[in-house]
Amino acid sequence: MKITSRVLVILLSLGIATQAADQLIVLKAARLFDGKSNTLSQNAVVIVQGDKIVDAGSNLPIPSGAQVIDLGDATLAPGFMDAHTHLTADFSGNYNERRLQQLDLNVSEQAIRATAFARATVEAGFTTVRDMGSRFVASHEFVDVALRNSINKGVIVGPRMLVATKGIGATGGHFDPTGGFRDFLFGREPDYTDGIANSPDEIRKTVRFEVKNGADVIKAAVSGGVLSLGDEVDTPQLTPAEMTALVDESHRLRKRVAVHCHGDQAAREAIEAGVDSIEHGSFMKPETLTMMKKKGAFLTPTLMASEWIMGKLDNYPPVLQAKAKAATAARSEMFRNAVKMGIKISFGTDAAVYPHGQNAKEFKLMVDLGMSAVDALKSATANDAELLGIGQKVGTLEKGKLADVIAMPGDPTFDITATERVSFVMKEGKIIRQGLPTSRGTAEATSSPDVSDPVD
Ligand SMILES: [Zn+2]
């Protein structure tokens, strides 16, 4: 990584650099990806004042008195976004050990670990995440809300978060926190306070409860999942009437709806009900993708999740191995079809299934399955900003947007893995990182080998 820095200010090597609010900062690099153009421009200049971008483009004149940070042979880009993370969890090790750990560790300790996951994520260049569910069995804590608020208040360093709280699902479904445990081990059946609902009215009540407690977005499991013990991966888990209630109540409260869905029938019913995004979508048939295109719903493919599980199958019980194999076998063709058909694709990885901070490995998986490098970059910038409903503020490098700016070495349209070597991260005008990261998440994260086994 060759980065020549002609830094006219002394930047703090750790944490957030302190900068005067009115000081102009000029970021320079060989190339610029603005988040929406199909090509990179040369001789990038991004001018930042306070938390905003004053101007961005090629060969812009440098205002006098500005601090100039020259990042050399690098590409400046908008801060990446990940539309599907779980920053309050880590499921990346041995499944049964992690399941036991959930019961061993008190929730406060899990929350403290989450602060390290948040830092690893933003230091990897992901300045915004949509966090898709945070639950602790037999606990009513809202750790994702606490994490989001602590980041917003500057107490800890992490990405901007839009959180889903518990997520919503059916009894015995993918989101039932007691699924796979002995009956009544935790003293009662989960209810709306755990995100579990079993009728349209209960769904509405649960949406209201989650919004009351701080949800920015509503997440629901409408089909089975891979890492749950009590269900089949592709069976529908909410009725069409329940999905209609879910979407109607969420949209009335101005919250977007993201649904965990592998199965084709559940996807069709969810798209018909008007959900904003399908998460995973493994078994979706071309006809279902056609419906999706007509409705304008996004696909969040989370290729990293199945890639990680398939690379470490021995970590999972046989019943989950079988589900992972079936979902992975189907998802590659589904993704290729979605790219060919021009479905709106958002960037999301299911971070927590793999160690936090490796989010950018999703880019190469997308490109390997037929997406152009520029479209992959757009998925993590302008597309995610549109899906999250924050396109007015972030997602592109343009005058007036919040100054979330990253740099990666070389040209990512030539070598997409440059996204995995982000060397500079600015969030809202504050430098989070320049040079080596201060953190790599957990010990488990550093000891895990790279995800490199192709699974197609
Ligand atoms: Zn997930």
Side-chain angles (χ1 to χ4, degrees):
M1 198 180 324
K2 278 191 183 169
I3 292 165
T4 44
S5 300
R6 278 182 270 131
V7 184
L8 300 182
V9 289
I10 297 168
L11 300 165
L12 299 183
S13 60
L14 293 174
I16 300 170
T18 49
Q19 294 144 204
D22 56 351
Q23 174 69 57
L24 282 169
I25 298 177
V26 173
L27 305 175
K28 290 179 68 179
R31 286 164 290 273
L32 179 90
F33 169 65
D34 65 8
K36 56 180 187 174
S37 302
N38 286 326
T39 53
L40 305 191
S41 46
Q42 305 299 312
N43 300 323
V45 177
V46 177
I47 304 170
V48 175
Q49 187 168 36
D51 62 355
K52 298 250 169 43
I53 295 171
V54 175
D55 210 351
S58 280
N59 293 311
L60 298 179
I62 310 295
S64 63
Q67 302 170 359
V68 179
I69 300 175
D70 190 341
L71 295 154
D73 182 21
T75 300
L76 296 181
F80 292 142
M81 300 185 207
D82 188 329
H84 193 129
T85 66
H86 302 275
L87 291 189
T88 63
D90 177 7
F91 312 125
S92 65
N94 178 278
Y95 183 84
N96 283 327
E97 279 174 21
R98 290 300 155 98
R99 208 154 162 258
L100 184 60
Q101 193 177 65
Q102 276 187 26
L103 307 180
D104 280 345
L105 296 181
N106 71 40
V107 175
S108 304
E109 185 171 351
Q110 297 190 57
I112 290 168
R113 292 163 69 92
T115 64
F117 303 153
R119 183 183 266 277
T121 303
V122 76
E123 288 191 346
F126 288 79
T127 50
T128 304
V129 303
R130 188 177 63 159
D131 208 63
M132 293 270 77
S134 170
R135 61 176 72 242
F136 300 88
V137 64
S139 160
H140 282 150
E141 294 295 325
F142 289 88
V143 177
D144 55 351
V145 172
L147 194 65
R148 175 197 67 193
N149 293 352
S150 300
I151 291 167
N152 287 348
K153 290 170 186 170
V155 177
I156 56 167
V157 176
R160 177 181 302 103
M161 293 178 75
L162 277 72
V163 305
T165 72
K166 314 284 178 189
I168 298 175
T171 292
H174 181 59
F175 279 0
D176 187 332
T178 64
F181 289 108
R182 193 183 71 223
D183 57 332
F184 293 101
L185 178 62
F186 304 100
R188 64 174 180 85
E189 268 296 292
D191 61 16
Y192 75 98
T193 61
D194 309 284
I196 299 304
N198 289 292
S199 69
D201 284 350
E202 279 193 27
I203 294 270
R204 286 186 191 275
K205 182 176 182 177
T206 311
V207 170
R208 290 169 180 170
F209 175 77
E210 296 197 348
V211 172
K212 170 186 171 183
N213 283 288
D216 302 299
V217 55
I218 296 299
K219 165 90 179 292
V222 302
S223 93
V226 173
L227 296 185
S228 41
L229 285 164
D231 58 357
E232 291 180 43
V233 67
D234 61 342
T235 50
Q237 294 188 342
L238 294 188
T239 64
E242 287 170 331
M243 292 192 213
T244 300
L246 172 81
V247 172
D248 181 61
E249 194 62 35
S250 302
H251 285 177
R252 289 162 74 90
L253 297 175
R254 298 205 183 98
K255 306 299 177 199
R256 307 260 167 121
V257 181
V259 292
H260 158 104
C261 181
H262 289 282
D264 186 63
Q265 180 188 339
R268 268 186 279 123
E269 292 170 355
I271 294 160
E272 193 59 48
V275 301
D276 300 289
S277 65
I278 298 280
E279 312 291 307
H280 320 303
S282 308
F283 297 96
M284 283 197 291
K285 294 182 178 146
E287 311 84 76
T288 310
L289 292 170
T290 302
M291 274 179 70
M292 208 169 167
K293 187 164 186 182
K294 276 195 201 129
K295 285 272 200 172
F298 278 86
L299 167 68
T300 312
T302 68
L303 305 174
M304 267 294 280
S306 44
E307 191 77 5
W308 177 264
I309 295 168
M310 291 302 288
K312 297 186 171 294
L313 268 183
D314 289 350
N315 273 340
Y316 303 89
V319 63
L320 300 191
Q321 292 182 16
K323 293 207 282 186
K325 283 180 189 165
T328 308
R331 66 83 154 135
S332 298
E333 189 189 342
M334 181 283 298
F335 182 80
R336 282 197 191 93
N337 287 338
V339 170
K340 276 190 214 130
M341 291 168 68
I343 304 295
K344 291 202 281 188
I345 294 177
S346 41
F347 184 102
T349 66
D350 224 349
V353 172
Y354 65 89
H356 294 282
Q358 299 187 21
N359 316 55
K361 290 184 176 174
E362 180 87 6
F363 285 108
K364 181 172 188 301
L365 300 178
M366 295 169 110
V367 170
D368 285 351
L369 288 175
M371 196 175 206
S372 75
V374 159
D375 283 344
L377 292 169
K378 283 185 194 172
S379 76
T381 51
N383 284 16
D384 269 6
E386 182 189 342
L387 171 62
L388 272 56
I390 53 175
Q392 296 299 315
K393 288 196 300 186
V394 288
T396 54
L397 296 180
E398 288 179 287
K399 183 175 167 31
K401 293 269 173 90
L402 288 172
D404 286 6
V405 189
I406 61 168
M408 59 201 122
D411 179 344
T413 62
F414 183 71
D415 175 7
I416 193 66
T417 68
T419 53
E420 298 167 24
R421 296 183 293 280
V422 165
S423 55
F424 174 89
V425 181
M426 172 181 272
K427 182 186 159 208
E428 295 184 13
K430 294 192 174 71
I431 295 164
I432 301 273
R433 184 188 142 200
Q434 185 170 16
L436 292 173
T438 59
S439 148
R440 276 292 183 193
T442 59
E444 289 90 334
T446 48
S447 64
S448 301
D450 288 351
V451 187
S452 55
D453 303 336
V455 291
D456 273 352

